[in-house]
Amino acid sequence: MTDNPQTIAIIVALDEQNAIGSNGDLLCHLPSDLKHFKKITTGYAVIMGRKTYESLPKGALPNRTNIVITSGEPENYPGCTVVRSVEEALSRCSNQGKAFIIGGGKLYRSTLHLATQLYLTRIHHTFDDADTFFPEIPFTEWKLVEKESHETDDKHPYAYTFLNYNKK
């Protein structure tokens, strides 16, 4: 795939058991994680599956090239480029330098091997009602390059850590 962007990055918030969602929504609301997500992805392409798009409260994310991988009709995804495959999605944003895979579970499973960067928010909790999971990460293939820990506070009911990895 020579048309790929320079960097394929995955960004995800996951609990201690690699859970990422419950009933089509995030596991919890962490305002600082949402700000972190916005800061990192703004100006780049974000690639998502249909269910992830449908979970966005306001539709397409502003100031980003939104690409949805689906068999659905393009008019159902205003503000987005609709494609049928990961390869097509990556070729559509090859000029942006970096593309972020933002979910969901199926898309993460099919792209983890392509990624060269991981932006993880590890939520230090286990959610019993989780029904969507991130694949097992082969950490021997990754190098931790940045770590930032956060404790609970009045807006964050769970402690969490931002972890950034580069592929070795």
Side-chain angles (χ1 to χ4, degrees), residues 55-138:
S55 76
L56 298 175
K58 297 178 184 174
L61 298 170
N63 305 312
R64 284 156 273 205
T65 301
N66 288 250
I67 300 174
V68 179
I69 302 173
T70 181
S71 59
E73 297 303 316
E75 59 269 13
N76 294 336
Y77 305 93
C80 298
T81 299
V82 173
V83 299
R84 306 296 182 213
S85 69
V86 170
E87 294 76 17
E88 186 181 357
L90 293 171
S91 71
R92 292 289 185 101
C93 57
S94 61
N95 63 342
Q96 293 199 5
K98 186 182 282 193
F100 283 91
I101 309 295
I102 67 167
K106 285 183 190 176
L107 188 56
Y108 287 137
R109 281 190 296 282
S110 68
T111 58
L112 181 57
H113 71 283
L114 300 173
T116 55
Q117 289 184 326
L118 294 177
Y119 293 87
L120 307 181
T121 299
R122 180 65 75 180
I123 303 165
H124 302 296
H125 184 77
T126 299
F127 293 86
D128 295 331
D129 61 344
D131 57 17
T132 308
F133 293 84
F134 194 82
E136 203 59 43
I137 301 166

Side-chain angles (χ1 to χ4, degrees), residues 4-28:
N4 284 357
Q6 254 179 354
T7 302
I8 299 170
I10 286 179
I11 187 165
V12 62
L14 61 173
D15 79 355
E16 296 290 354
Q17 301 293 320
N18 282 3
I20 61 171
S22 176
N23 297 312
D25 206 353
L26 298 174
L27 295 170
C28 62

